């Protein structure tokens, strides 16, 4: 029984990727030998849909990192970023097994041809009946660029300039077919009215495309755009193009400041601030009792070699080799990166006065949620009261890799407690992801950038 | 005794045969892929080797300088991304091979290699890649390229592209994924290798960020009929899609492919040549003949659609010619062999209307009952030597059923086509006879 309250439910998503599920912990997936067939993720999608989670965000990267120690060995032991399957072909399979949950596909503006991206997302919009979104990333690793035949990535600033132009191009392609272009006039034998289909003749500084797109407009026409960059350039890009922003700020003050900043930037860019949802990454640890939950959190974040190295391998995906630093000394002050700037900033934030070992074992997410389902739901309630946030994105497996066990703790433990408080949905309110997340849709987001 | 032969189906992710009869709600609902899921299930029921999803990336406007004819008849456009459809089809079948078209001119090689490898994993070893070089400047312009490279250079690039992609597929050795719980090692890094590929046209460092797929290398399919295209096919392909008019031309084509295979040091039986046909199958000979006559009547609608197609293929504006005058000489940087076949049919002063209304990429006119069409196919294969047929034609449930539940059972009864899949993966089935 759900208690009906007049509160507006928050938006909830789950951040994951097409990677091996837990294979070496206490809750191993029995799909671990054949995780690449995608069946494990079908089960997860169903679990999430049963709990009315709005979307799965399918993160992506395109390399096997070898920054840590100058070899792929550590990466292929701890599997922090590789192996990883292409999330795009996984989406039709997940869509067949579900009917409401959305799928945000990560695609890089540095690596995908814009026409191909626009066309594939529209194709998926049709196949999912309007449940696809684009998680716009600019890619942060030279190794990824090298797989695509480039010596390295453009500078951080240029990547964002390119991404801005790229998003404008893609939106024009999505709007290259007018409403009503599909006429299906059987008498005249006319399928499409060509006067409603237009070349875009886009000539930018970095990209060009003639258009029109060769697909019928999808149910959402423009899939929702997600974005996660938190540097100033990333925030401006989000304020201009994104409808869902992923944030990994630490602590309620920063969470609030970040959301206020994004909303101010959106307003400055001429958008309604309510046309953007700011969602914070969380990884709650939930158990039957407070004590048990605390014990599990202590285990998951103990500064053991395994925990610490796994984190540092993950941090080393860009151009900084963390194996060179002394684990039992503070983090050096002079680390420079052209990669994920906010990642190092976050580490530095938690590292103040700590050794690298202690810092690397720390929890990095917005708020460290530990407790019973009821107490964690109360903590979330309190955070929302203070931050005024729009929702949350779960990720990972509570200190380890994803398992059905962890997913169930959230979907069958925490979500019902949030639903009881009116903080989470008990049904999907609309037929498309866009309308589900923005039930009173602003048209702002649908206007093409001409 | 004719040897058993293979069956494939050539289609694209586009509207069914609008505005024909026998197309109902699918005319609008095809975009969600459910029509195509049923399509794939039907082919698996009839034990086809594969379904091949053709592709192109443009809304043509060569005919009369606008897109009216193309969009009116839904010729090239709309057409949706075949990679997404391949995933759906894989999910509703368990043995059928699924071939998706990917252009070596438009795809970044690493992206193509990874998407294909992922699909091979998802389908548990049933994926194929139809390698095309793309032949239209309009498509290139959507990708920010003004003009395509010359025909032969496109194949030079494609050779290098396939080499690169194959090296990425081999960058994880068999058995690299160990999942050793005692050492905590997921994969043995000594079995995962950068490829450091540096070519004339493409570079890639590698390795792929995904373990080796069930087939290692998805089945390679290819269709270029020019001399350069055939050499490319002989070098890389496991199956070749052929369009040649009449059994003599079919035999010559297959013999030429087999000679090319020998020339590059391959076993000629390691690549299956499938010939495009659109059988018209009905309950009686008379009914089949009547449908054939109606289908090929030189109506304005048929001529316009055919010329729209030829215009898009070759980027020549066919609207400027008088339909009732002999055909003039044409040239293209696009589909050279297709245009050559068109011009060949115009020999002897035939009018554009006559040639256009009779134009198809089909190899044989197969018309009759299941029994008599099976006779014709048997006889053709007997003469040509192999390796099978690729069905194409009006996309609707009726036509699919006529083939899968009318013609194929007759072929199976004669032992001419597959009755059971004998292997779990696509390539093993394809090469099993």
């Amino acid at each position: 029984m759900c208690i009906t309250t007049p509160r507006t439910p928050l938006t909830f998503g789950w951040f994951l990727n097409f990677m091996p599920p837990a294979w070496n912990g206490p809750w191993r997936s029995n799909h671990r030998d054949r995780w690449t067939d995608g069946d494990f993720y079908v089960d997860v999608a169903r679990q999430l849909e049963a709990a009315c989670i709005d979307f799965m965000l399918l993160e992506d990267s395109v390399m096997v990192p070898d920054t840590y120690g100058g070899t792929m060995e550590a990466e292929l032991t701890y599997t922090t970023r590789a192996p990883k399957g292409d999330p795009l072909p996984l989406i039709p399979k997940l869509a067949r097994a579900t009917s409401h949950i959305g799928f945000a596909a990560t695609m890089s503006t540095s690596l995908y041809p814009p026409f191909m991206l626009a066309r594939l997302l529209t194709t998926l919009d049709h196949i999912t009946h309007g449940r696809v979104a684009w998680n716009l990333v600019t890619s942060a690793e030279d190794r990824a660029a090298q797989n695509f035949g480039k010596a390295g990535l453009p500078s951080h600033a240029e990547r964002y300039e390119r991404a801005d132009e790229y998003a404008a191009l893609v939106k024009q392609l999505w709007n290259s077919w007018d409403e009503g272009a599909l006429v299906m006039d059987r008498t005249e034998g006319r399928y499409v009215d060509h006067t409603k289909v237009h070349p875009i003749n886009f000539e930018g500084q970095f990209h060009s495309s003639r258009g029109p797109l060769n697909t019928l407009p999808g149910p959402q026409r423009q899939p929702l755009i997600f974005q996660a960059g938190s540097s100033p350039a990333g925030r401006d890009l989000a304020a201009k193009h994104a409808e869902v922003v992923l944030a990994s700020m630490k602590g309620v003050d920063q969470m609030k400041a970040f959301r206020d900043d994004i909303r101010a930037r959106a307003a400055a860019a001429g958008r309604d601030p309510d046309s953007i949802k700011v969602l914070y990454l969380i990884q709650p640890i939930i158990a039957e009792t407070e004590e048990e939950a605390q014990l599990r959190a202590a285990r998951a974040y103990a500064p053991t070699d395994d925990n610490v190295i796994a984190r540092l391998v993950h941090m080393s995906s860009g151009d900084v080799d963390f194996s060179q630093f002394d684990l039992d000394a503070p983090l050096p002050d002079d680390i420079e990166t052209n990669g994920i700037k906010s990642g190092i900033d976050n580490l530095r934030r938690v590292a103040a006065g700590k050794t690298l070992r202690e810092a690397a074992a720390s929890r990095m997410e917005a708020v460290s949620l530990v407790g019973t389902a009821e107490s964690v739901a109360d903590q979330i309630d309190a955070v929302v009261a203070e931050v005024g946030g729009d929702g949350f994105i779960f990720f990972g497996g509570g200190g380890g890799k994803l398992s059905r066990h962890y997913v169930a703790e959230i979907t069958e433990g925490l979500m019902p407690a949030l639903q009881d408080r009116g903080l989470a949905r008990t049904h999907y309110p609309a037929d498309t992801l866009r309308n589900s997340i923005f039930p009173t849709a602003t048209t702002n987001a649908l206007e093409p950038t001409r | 005794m004719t040897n058993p032969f293979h069956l494939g189906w050539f289609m694209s992710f586009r509207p069914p045969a609008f505005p024909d009869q026998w197309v109902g709600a699918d005319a609008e609902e095809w975009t969600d892929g459910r029509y195509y899921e049923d399509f794939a299930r039907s082919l698996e029921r009839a034990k086809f080797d594969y379904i091949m999803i053709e592709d192109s990336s443009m809304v043509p406007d060569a005919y009369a300088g606008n897109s009216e004819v193309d969009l009116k008849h839904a010729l090239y456009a709309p057409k949706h991304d075949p990679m997404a459809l391949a995933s759906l089809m894989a999910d509703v079948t368990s043995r059928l091979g699924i071939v998706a078209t990917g252009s070596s001119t438009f795809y970044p090689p690493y992206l193509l290699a990874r998407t294909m490898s992922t699909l091979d994993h998802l389908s548990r070893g049933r994926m194929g890649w139809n390698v095309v070089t793309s032949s239209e400047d309009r498509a290139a312009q959507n990708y920010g390229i003004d003009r395509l490279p010359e025909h032969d250079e496109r194949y030079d690039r494609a050779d290098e592209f396939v080499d690169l992609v194959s090296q990425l597929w081999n960058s994880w050795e068999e058995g690299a994924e160990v999942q050793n719980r005692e050492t905590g090692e997921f994969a043995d890094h000594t079995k995962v290798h950068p490829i450091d590929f540096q070519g004339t046209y493409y570079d890639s460092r590698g390795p792929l960020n995904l373990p080796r797929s069930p087939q290692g290398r998805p089945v390679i399919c290819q269709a270029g009929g020019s001399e350069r295209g055939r050499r490319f096919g002989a070098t890389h392909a496991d199956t070749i899609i052929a369009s040649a008019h009449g059994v003599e031309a079919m035999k010559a084509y297959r013999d030429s492919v087999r000679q090319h295979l020998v020339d590059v040091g391959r076993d000629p039986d390691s690549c299956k040549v499938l010939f495009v046909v659109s059988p018209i199958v009905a309950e009686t000979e008379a009914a089949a003949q009547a449908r054939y006559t109606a289908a090929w009547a030189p109506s304005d609608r048929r001529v316009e659609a055919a010329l729209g197609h030829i215009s898009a293929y070759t980027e020549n504006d066919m609207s400027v010619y008088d339909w009732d005058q002999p055909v003039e000489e044409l040239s293209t940087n696009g589909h050279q062999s297709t245009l050559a076949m068109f011009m060949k049919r115009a020999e002897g002063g035939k009018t554009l209307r006559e040639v256009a209304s009779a134009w198809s990429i089909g190899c044989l006119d197969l018309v009759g009952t299941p029994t008599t069409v099976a006779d014709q196919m048997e006889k053709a294969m007997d003469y040509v030597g192999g390796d099978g047929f690729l069905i194409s034609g009006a996309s609707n449930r009726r036509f699919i059923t006529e083939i899968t539940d009318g013609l194929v059972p007759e072929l199976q009864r004669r032992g001419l086509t597959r009755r059971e899949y004998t292997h779990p993966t696509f390539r093993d089935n394809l090469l099993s006879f």
Side-chain angles (χ1 to χ4, degrees):
Chain A
M1 253 311 267
C2 299
I3 299 158
T4 314
T5 71
R7 308 174 73 171
T8 308
L10 301 168
T11 298
F12 288 92
W14 199 301
F15 178 105
L16 47 74
N17 32 40
F18 192 1
M19 285 187 71
W23 61 278
N24 198 17
W27 302 103
R28 283 170 288 158
S29 163
N30 47 29
H31 274 106
R32 63 190 179 279
D33 295 339
R34 48 185 186 87
W35 60 274
T36 57
D37 70 12
D39 282 355
F40 172 78
Y41 290 99
V42 167
D43 291 350
V44 170
R46 287 197 170 117
Q47 278 181 284
L48 299 185
E49 186 168 84
C52 291
I53 303 272
D54 292 277
F55 62 85
M56 296 168 86
L57 186 147
L58 297 155
E59 183 274 346
D60 197 28
S61 60
V62 284
M63 53 156 194
V64 182
D66 62 351
T67 310
Y68 188 91
T71 153
M72 296 182 283
E73 182 170 12
E75 176 58 39
L76 292 177
T77 296
Y78 293 99
T79 62
T80 72
R81 283 172 204 262
K84 194 179 286 173
D86 185 340
L88 276 306
L90 181 61
I91 290 173
K93 183 175 171 108
L94 301 179
R96 281 198 76 252
T98 55
S99 49
H100 299 291
I101 191 168
F103 309 100
T106 299
M107 300 165 94
S108 165
T109 54
S110 298
L111 307 174
Y112 250 96
F115 187 90
M116 189 177 283
L117 176 141
R119 183 178 183 225
L120 181 50
L121 284 173
T122 294
T123 300
L124 289 171
D125 197 27
H126 284 281
I127 283 176
T128 62
H129 295 128
R131 295 188 282 143
V132 78
W134 171 27
N135 179 37
L136 186 166
V137 298
T138 66
S139 293
E141 309 91 2
D142 285 342
R143 276 283 181 259
Q146 288 156 11
N147 284 335
F148 283 71
K150 297 163 186 171
L153 287 168
S155 69
H156 187 271
E158 189 189 320
R159 287 206 305 276
Y160 281 92
E161 281 174 46
R162 286 173 166 269
D164 178 32
E165 185 185 291
Y166 188 115
L169 191 169
V170 164
K171 288 182 187 175
Q172 287 194 23
L173 284 173
W174 281 333
N175 288 290
S176 60
W177 290 56
D178 297 343
E179 278 312 324
L182 177 63
V183 290
M184 291 197 299
D185 181 337
R186 284 182 184 259
T187 319
E188 234 189 305
R190 188 180 300 278
Y191 192 68
V192 168
D193 176 357
H194 76 287
T195 65
K196 295 185 171 171
V197 182
H198 314 284
I200 64 167
N201 292 315
F202 189 101
E203 300 265 1
Q205 195 186 340
F206 308 105
H207 309 97
S208 57
S209 181
R210 182 181 182 277
L213 209 56
N214 62 339
T215 49
L216 294 171
Q220 301 177 105
R221 178 171 289 263
Q222 277 187 206
L224 286 176
I225 297 181
F226 288 39
Q227 208 266 341
S230 52
S231 65
R235 293 180 191 206
D236 277 338
L237 186 72
K240 197 163 165 192
H241 297 290
E243 290 149 303
V244 174
V245 175
L246 284 58
S248 50
M249 302 296 119
K250 187 87 181 148
V252 288
D253 291 346
Q254 282 183 27
M255 290 164 73
K256 182 164 167 42
F258 179 79
R259 181 164 181 269
D260 290 347
D261 182 56
I262 289 286
R263 292 173 64 86
R265 285 175 200 252
R271 291 179 63 193
D272 174 1
D274 289 336
S275 67
I276 302 185
K277 299 276 187 194
V278 177
L279 308 183
Y280 303 97
L281 289 161
I282 52 171
Q283 196 170 186
I285 293 182
I286 293 171
E288 278 77 358
T289 65
E290 293 293 328
E291 298 70 34
E292 211 180 312
Q294 292 293 348
L295 278 173
R296 280 175 57 188
R299 263 201 315 274
Y301 294 96
T304 62
D305 280 359
D306 260 5
N307 283 349
V308 168
I309 293 172
R311 173 65 63 78
L312 294 178
V313 170
H314 187 253
M315 295 286 305
S316 299
S317 66
D319 47 11
V320 180
D321 177 2
F322 279 88
S323 77
Q324 63 183 307
F325 304 125
D326 184 347
L327 283 181
D328 297 303
L331 186 66
D333 290 329
D334 54 350
I335 303 173
E336 284 294 323
T337 182
N338 186 36
I340 304 174
K341 293 186 187 300
S342 52
I344 294 201
D345 290 346
N346 281 351
L347 181 65
R348 206 178 285 292
R349 210 167 283 130
V350 299
K354 290 182 184 168
T355 64
L356 180 57
R357 176 189 295 279
E358 290 162 340
S362 305
R363 297 184 69 174
M364 304 293 280
E365 65 263 41
V367 279
S368 301
L369 300 166
V370 182
T372 62
E374 297 300 325
S375 75
V376 169
D378 286 340
Q379 294 168 58
I380 287 177
D381 202 352
V383 168
V384 171
E386 206 163 336
V387 175
D390 305 304
F392 296 90
I393 303 189
F394 300 107
F395 73 105
K401 299 203 181 298
L402 201 60
S403 65
R404 289 185 186 79
H405 181 261
Y406 181 68
V407 174
E409 285 174 346
I410 301 296
T411 58
E412 326 229 314
L414 179 59
M415 291 308 292
L418 291 167
Q419 287 167 346
D420 288 346
R421 287 160 178 76
L423 289 169
R425 303 184 193 297
T426 52
H427 68 280
Y428 289 91
D431 51 352
T432 66
L433 180 63
R434 175 177 289 286
N435 292 339
S436 208
I437 293 188
F438 295 100
T440 50
T442 57
T443 52
N444 181 331
L446 283 172
E447 280 165 20
T449 314
R450 293 256 186 216
Chain B
M1 178 69 191
T2 307
N3 289 326
F5 54 82
H6 299 267
L7 291 175
W9 199 300
F10 177 99
M11 44 71 71
S12 6
F13 191 6
R14 56 191 285 264
F18 180 87
D20 293 5
Q21 288 177 310
W22 317 108
V23 175
D26 296 327
E28 186 170 9
E29 293 172 7
W30 63 276
T31 59
D32 74 5
R34 273 48 170 188
Y35 166 66
Y36 290 102
E37 290 177 8
D38 293 347
F39 199 151
R41 282 195 186 100
S42 295
L43 300 196
E44 185 163 85
R45 186 172 68 245
K47 309 295 186 287
F48 271 62
D49 279 80
Y50 61 86
I51 186 163
M52 202 287 272
I53 316 167
E54 171 275 344
D55 196 30
S56 59
S57 297
M58 62 168 183
V59 180
D61 63 352
Y63 188 93
N66 65 55
S67 57
E68 179 168 14
V69 164
D70 191 84
L71 289 171
K72 177 182 167 190
H73 299 278
L75 299 174
Y76 264 58
K79 194 178 286 172
H80 291 195
D81 193 307
M83 300 296 169
L85 182 60
S87 170
L88 275 189
M89 287 178 165
D91 205 38
V92 298
T93 55
S94 58
R95 286 291 183 267
L96 181 69
I98 296 154
V99 181
T101 298
S103 165
S104 59
T105 305
F106 303 140
Y107 253 98
Y110 190 93
L111 184 58
L112 187 283
R114 183 168 180 243
T115 301
M116 278 290 156
S117 178
T118 301
L119 283 165
D120 201 43
H121 279 288
L122 289 171
S123 65
R124 302 183 184 90
R126 295 183 291 123
M127 199 60 203
W129 170 32
N130 178 39
V131 190
V132 299
T133 65
S134 295
S135 30
E136 305 91 3
D137 285 338
R138 270 288 178 262
Q141 289 154 12
N142 286 333
Y143 284 82
I145 305 163
D146 277 347
R147 287 186 65 80
L148 285 170
E150 288 303 307
H151 181 271
D152 283 11
E153 189 198 324
R154 290 206 302 277
Y155 278 104
D156 294 341
R157 290 172 160 271
D159 269 326
E160 193 177 297
F161 190 110
V162 177
D163 277 349
L164 192 171
V165 161
S166 303
Q167 289 190 31
L168 285 173
W169 286 330
N170 286 319
S171 61
W172 287 61
E173 291 178 32
E174 201 109 40
E177 186 178 331
V178 291
Q179 295 201 17
N180 184 329
R181 300 191 75 217
E182 300 201 344
T183 62
E185 180 185 48
F186 180 83
D188 178 352
H189 77 286
T190 66
K191 294 184 173 172
V192 183
H193 312 284
I195 64 167
D196 292 318
F197 189 100
Q198 296 203 305
T200 309
Y201 308 104
Y202 304 104
D203 299 334
S204 181
R205 184 180 182 278
L208 206 58
N209 61 338
L210 189 62
R212 190 180 191 82
S213 73
Q215 294 186 106
R217 175 181 157 106
V219 166
I220 306 286
C221 173
Q222 197 266 344
S226 66
E227 189 57 27
R228 183 67 185 86
R230 288 187 209 190
R231 197 164 80 235
F232 176 82
T235 308
H236 305 286
D238 300 292
T239 182
I240 286 176
I241 296 169
S243 176
H245 198 62
V247 287
E248 291 298 339
M250 289 163 68
K251 181 166 167 48
Y253 196 117
R254 182 169 180 269
D255 290 347
S256 141
V257 166
R258 291 174 70 83
Q259 185 57 52
H260 275 106
L261 285 158
V262 171
D263 291 347
V264 300
R266 290 181 61 191
D267 173 358
D269 292 331
S270 67
C271 180
K272 305 300 179 189
V273 181
L274 269 55
F275 294 94
V276 178
V277 290
S278 301
I280 293 182
V281 186
E283 280 80 355
T284 65
E285 286 297 319
Q289 286 296 340
R291 278 170 59 191
Y292 175 80
T293 306
W296 295 97
S299 65
D300 285 359
R301 184 175 173 82
R302 175 158 178 83
V303 172
E304 182 180 77
L307 294 179
H309 225 114
I310 290 286
S311 295
Y313 253 89
T314 64
E315 304 202 296
N316 282 299
D317 180 1
M318 301 297 288
S319 77
V320 302
Y321 303 107
D322 186 334
W323 291 5
D324 297 305
Q325 292 295 316
V327 183
E328 294 177 33
E329 196 58 43
L330 301 165
S331 69
T332 183
N333 184 35
H335 291 258
Q336 298 197 340
S337 58
T338 310
L339 184 63
M341 280 175 64
F342 183 82
M343 293 310 301
K344 191 161 168 49
R345 293 189 186 201
E347 283 171 3
K350 289 211 186 76
T351 65
L352 189 56
R353 180 187 294 276
E354 290 169 320
V355 179
S357 62
W359 179 73
S360 89
I361 57 167
C363 298
L364 298 170
D365 288 335
L366 299 173
V367 185
T369 64
T371 309
T372 60
V373 170
D375 287 344
Q376 297 163 57
M377 293 172 87
E378 182 168 6
K379 207 168 140 202
M381 276 297 111
D382 205 31
Y383 185 81
V384 173
D387 298 300
F389 293 98
L390 195 70
I391 310 292
S392 84
S395 170
N396 64 54
R397 292 171 189 273
R398 182 199 196 208
F399 178 57
I400 294 164
T401 307
E402 283 166 352
I403 302 298
T404 58
D405 300 79
L407 177 59
V408 172
E410 177 61 24
L411 294 169
Q412 289 173 323
R413 197 185 58 73
R414 299 177 187 202
L416 290 173
T417 62
R418 185 194 303 287
R419 287 179 195 162
E420 288 304 332
Y421 295 102
T422 47
H423 297 84
T425 63
F426 176 13
R427 181 180 282 102
D428 287 349
N429 281 315
L430 183 67
L431 299 181
S432 64
F433 59 86

